[in-house]
Every structure is written in C-alpha cells, then in structure tokens.
Amino acid sequence: MTKFYVTTPIYYINDVPSLGSAYPTIIADILARWHRLRGDDVFFLTGLDENSVKTVQAAKKLGVKDIKSYADGMAEKWKSAFKNLNISNDDFIRTTEERHKKNVLKVFDAVYKKGDIYKGRYEGLYCEGCEAYYKESDLVNGCCPLHKKEPKLISEENYFFKLSKYQSALLEHIEKNPKFIEPESRRNEIRNFIKKGLEDISISRPNLEWGILLPIDKSQIIWVWFDALSNYLLPEKYWPADVHIVGKDIARFHCIIWPSMLLSAGIELPKKVYAHGFFTIAGQKMSKSLGNVIDPVYLANKYSTDALRYFLIREIVLGEDGDFSEGALKARLNNELVANYGNLFYRVTSFVEKNFGAVPEPKEFGDAEKDLQKKLVKTFDEVEKLMEEIKLTDALRVIMGLSGEANRYFQEKEPWKNIKEDRESVATTLYFATNLVKAISVLLYPFTPEKSGKALEALNVKIPKWSEAVEFTITPDHKIKAEILYKKVD
Ligand code: MSP
C-alpha cells in the first residue's frame, strides 16, 4: 500500500481561524481525501503552534493569567471550526503537548551533538508577528512587509544554528529533486535566495516566559520556529512527509531552515514542500494584524461548507495569488454548483424516481453515449494526473467541464418530451445519466465531501474506490431517490 503523509502549517492561536488558515487546511484535506479514495495509507496532520509570544500577548490582552487555559480554550475553537469545514485530519498536534516536546528535543539534541549549535549575540530586528529575524534591507518603509509594523530592535544572547554550513547541500538537494519545492516559481525564488548566501540563525531566545526550555541553558527558550517545524515528525511511521502544504509567506522556513535542521540531525527530508499563494480581500492581504479577517465558518454556514471549499479551489488558481469576494463565491455557487452539477443531478434522479421508480433497463448506447463515456474515462485519467501534481484548480475545471457536457447531453436528449412515444430510448438516457452523475459525484468527492456523500446516498451506492468509480456499476432495477444538492443563493 502506498503511504501518503500530508501536513498543514500549524496555526498561531492569538485568534480564531480565519479564511487564510482555512485555505491550506482545505487544500491538504482535498489531497488526503483523494489519496484515501485511491486506497493509499493516508496520514493527515494539522494542529496549533502554541509556543509563541503571540499566545502570551493574546491571553494577557483578555486578562487571562493562566496561559495554558487560554491555549486549551483556543484549541477547542480551532478543532470545532475545522469540524465545520469538514476537515478529515487523522491527528491534531498542539505544541504544548509532551509528545511534541519530545520530538523538538530529539531534533535539538541531534543538531547539538553534530556540533551545529554555538552561543552568540544577536543584535538586530525581530518581528513578533512573523516570529522572525529581519534585516534592514527586508523592510518596506521601515516596516515588516507582512505585518506593516516596525519590528523590535533586540540585542540578546542567543544560541545559533549553523545554517550557513548547509547551503551547498541544500542547493544540491533542490537541483537533484526538482519536485522538492513546488510550484516552480517558488522553487526559483528559494534557489536564488540561497545562492545569495545563508547566514547562521538564532534558535533560542532569553527572558521568555512561555515555550520549550533549551536543554543546554535553562535561561533560554527554543525559538518558536525551531519548535514548530519539528511537529511534522509526530507520526514516526509515516515520516518522511509526502507533502507539506504551506503559504508562500512561510516557504523559506520550510524550504531552507527545516531541511537544514533535518540534514544536521541526520533525518530524512520531506519529499515536497508545496507553497500556495495568497488571496487578498479587495486587493489587500487578509491578516489578523490588518483587521480585515473573514470568518470561514460564517461563510460555510451561509453558503454550505462545500460551496466554500469548491470556491476557494476553483476561483484562486492554486499556487498563484487571487482575490476573494463574497459576490464571486455566490456567482460560482449559483452558476456552477447549482446550475451545472446540482441541476443535472436533480433532473436525472427525479426523472428516474418519478417515471420509472428505479433505474431502467438500457438499450444499446448510441454515439452520444459512447462519446461521453470515452470522455469520462479520459477525465478520470486527466484528473488523476492533475491531483498527483497538486493542480487542484485544473482538476476541478476538468471535472466541471465533464459535468457541463453531461448537462448538455441530458438537455439534448429531452427525456421529458420523449417519455410518451419513446420510453425505451429514454430508459437508455436515464441509465446512462445515472451512472454518469455517480462518476462525477465521485470525482467531486475530495472537494465537496458532504454533498458528494449525499449524492451517493441518494444514488444508493457506497463511495467506490477511485479505480472502480468510472465503471457503470448502477444496474437496472436499482432504487434511487431525487435529491436537491445545492440551493441558489440570492
Ligand atoms: N505558525 C506558523 C506556521 C508554523 S508551521 C511549522 C504560521 N501560522 S499562521 O497562523 O500565521 O499562518 C498559517 C498559514 O495561513 C500560513 O501558511 C499562511 O500562508 C496562511 N494564510 C494566512 N493568511 C492567508 C491568506 N490571506 N491567503 C492564503 N493563505 C494565508 O505562520
């Protein structure tokens, strides 16, 4: 059995989930569900990055003294939001857990024994929003380009990690493994950045009250990124990860620091880091610190979880930047999910139910059916390839293209007109269309699991394996029921 281990970034808990954090989680969920359909042995990990100064600040702002109880409360909120978004994670990691701390210390210990840690002094800039060290030259108008705030000037004793030592090994790894960083544009960016030269980085900070203590000097806390990245090692049996899904803002941590830590610790590298783009809200980056955050649960309740999942993947070309608007979500829901797939599904199932009571016996297929069946087989092949390449937007476009053709086929056959004089040909159309909508519902399943589940239930079949989904397994006399999957929103 092929193993597939996929991760999301682990999220800061200074706030509840935003649409920004829902995005990578939905991408990872779609991949996990697709690999499960394929019969792979899947492990899907998501969770929370709790050992940040941002946690302490957020708790204090609310007047909560016990930071752990603040974190526990937030963890419940995140879990519940992910449930609402139908996220099928196999585990949920919190960096305040013992099992996580064990892995951080394991990595630190190995890196330390390798001789890659030394004490030094850091004098420079630190952005608490990013939890990252900045150079003057990285700033825009003196501010962190992401958080639009002036970073803090700090001067402190730190322990450093010899990142520079891994520059050439890392470059070599990237050259030899063109699929290690995707999409390609991101890979080029990272490669160019490394070529400019890597400097050693601080991996501990003094005088913090919250986080994992540095074992070799208890006056220091392990830097939150060194801590957080190690979360991915949790399911030992599944390591190395097949893909880390991350946003482009945190690509450097995942494509430079994390693999260097692993090279130093003598641990195998992940197979791939996939860094998606950012979506903006009316042209502006959405961020907690900018105050234009959209609540994904609100959208899911209003339009359905599946419409939201569908929209995010269909509208924003995966890997690129895009803009989010509720109007565009509504348009995709009404024009595609309702008018295309949902309409087809309802017409086929209700026509069968009303006029035949069960799936009718077909005659021989005509050219229209034969052509469409060929397209169906081709679509499965194409979608399989696109899903393997994480081209989710393209996969969805191809699936909806097939659904559109199926809709046209049904329209042209006009079974409602022919039912009286040519019941036999209508029977063929319905048998064919029922099996077709089953296959399309399976194709859509990773993207819209709830509605596809409902669709397959109405068709009275279990979710088939990917390899069997293309087959016409719904046979004559099989009972199905009419189902309205999506409703138009005005
Ligand atoms: N805690 C770190 C990640 C540690 S992983 C070892 C972190 N957390 S975060 O909560 O700030 O962000 C998590 C993810 O949300 C990032 O991958 C980021 O790219 C993503 N997004 C936040 N806003 C986003 C958009 N507006 N658009 C797309 N993704 C966005 O960083």
Side-chain angles (χ1 to χ4, degrees), residues 8-14 18-24 48-50 52 54 78 129-131 147 224-225 227-232 245-251 253-254 276-281 284-288 316 321-322:
T8 72
I10 51 171
Y11 303 101
Y12 292 129
I13 54 165
N14 52 329
S18 71
L19 195 60
S21 37
Y23 186 56
L48 302 175
D49 188 352
E50 301 185 5
S52 160
K54 286 142 82 105
W78 278 78
C130 300
E131 287 277 21
H147 294 91
V224 65
W225 274 98
D227 164 337
L229 288 162
S230 308
N231 95 84
Y232 299 129
I245 300 293
V246 302
K248 64 175 184 180
D249 55 329
I250 57 172
F253 298 94
H254 285 82
H276 62 74
F278 255 73
F279 52 83
T280 45
I281 310 292
Q284 276 258 350
K285 178 186 179 275
M286 180 176 71
S287 85
K288 291 162 192 165
I316 301 159
D321 294 341

Side-chain angles (χ1 to χ4, degrees), residues 314-381:
R314 182 77 181 87
E315 178 85 3
I316 301 159
V317 179
L318 191 62
E320 294 174 21
D321 294 341
D323 199 51
F324 177 90
S325 84
E326 230 180 298
L329 165 53
K330 229 186 280 182
R332 291 257 183 214
L333 167 62
N334 290 340
N335 302 337
E336 298 176 17
L337 292 173
V338 176
N340 179 343
Y341 165 69
N343 176 49
L344 173 70
F345 193 86
Y346 179 70
R347 281 166 110 190
V348 173
T349 50
S350 63
F351 207 88
V352 168
E353 197 182 33
K354 269 191 213 135
N355 293 286
F356 294 90
V359 176
E361 178 91 34
K363 291 278 170 224
E364 218 180 298
F365 286 171
D367 286 347
E369 287 83 13
K370 283 183 192 154
D371 277 357
L372 206 43
Q373 199 174 12
K374 268 190 212 140
K375 274 192 192 129
L376 172 68
V377 174
K378 206 176 132 222
T379 302
F380 267 84
D381 289 345

Side-chain angles (χ1 to χ4, degrees), residues 26-216:
I26 289 170
I27 296 167
D29 186 64
I30 292 167
L31 292 174
R33 286 180 187 271
W34 184 72
H35 279 273
R36 284 190 203 110
L37 259 189
R38 265 235 308 221
D40 295 345
D41 176 16
V42 172
F43 197 90
F44 168 19
L45 183 66
T46 187
L48 302 175
D49 188 352
E50 301 185 5
N51 295 326
S52 160
V53 284
K54 286 142 82 105
T55 305
V56 181
Q57 288 163 353
K60 285 194 174 155
K61 212 167 149 194
L62 291 174
V64 182
K65 288 214 180 66
D66 178 12
I67 298 166
K68 181 68 169 68
S69 79
Y70 168 81
D72 291 345
M74 288 309 277
E76 286 317 305
K77 288 191 180 154
W78 278 78
K79 282 184 186 166
S80 131
F82 284 176
K83 214 169 165 192
N84 259 296
L85 299 171
N86 219 342
I87 302 304
S88 63
N89 51 301
D90 294 292
D91 204 337
F92 189 90
I93 178 105
R94 297 180 54 193
T95 55
T96 45
E97 289 174 304
E98 269 309 308
R99 58 180 185 158
H100 168 70
K101 189 172 157 191
K102 243 174 54 195
N103 277 330
V104 178
L105 296 181
K106 186 176 94 183
V107 177
F108 178 80
D109 195 50
V111 172
Y112 182 65
K113 286 198 176 123
K114 186 77 182 274
D116 287 343
I117 301 284
Y118 62 93
K119 198 172 183 177
R121 186 162 194 90
Y122 177 77
E123 292 200 32
L125 303 166
Y126 192 82
C127 170
E128 285 182 342
C130 300
E131 287 277 21
Y133 301 91
Y134 269 96
K135 281 195 208 147
E136 204 76 57
S137 56
D138 299 327
L139 307 181
V140 179
N141 299 327
C143 292
C144 156
L146 288 176
H147 294 91
K148 317 264 189 254
K149 261 185 165 171
E150 266 182 47
K152 273 189 173 173
L153 187 63
I154 57 177
S155 167
E156 56 190 35
E157 292 246 288
N158 290 161
Y159 287 81
F160 283 73
F161 166 56
K162 290 184 186 166
L163 183 65
S164 58
K165 182 174 155 188
Y166 293 94
Q167 175 167 335
S168 49
L170 192 55
L171 267 180
E172 196 184 312
H173 185 80
I174 295 171
E175 300 297 345
K176 277 201 183 139
N177 300 276
K179 292 189 167 166
F180 178 57
I181 302 169
E182 283 185 343
E184 204 188 334
S185 55
R186 222 71 77 195
R187 174 170 172 249
N188 295 336
E189 262 169 47
I190 296 284
R191 211 176 25 194
N192 292 340
F193 184 85
I194 301 173
K195 278 185 183 160
K196 279 195 262 164
L198 295 180
E199 287 174 19
D200 295 346
I201 53 165
S202 303
I203 51 100
S204 76
R205 300 202 57 207
N207 311 321
L208 294 183
E209 57 188 295
W210 179 250
I212 300 175
L213 283 179
L214 190 74
I216 54 165

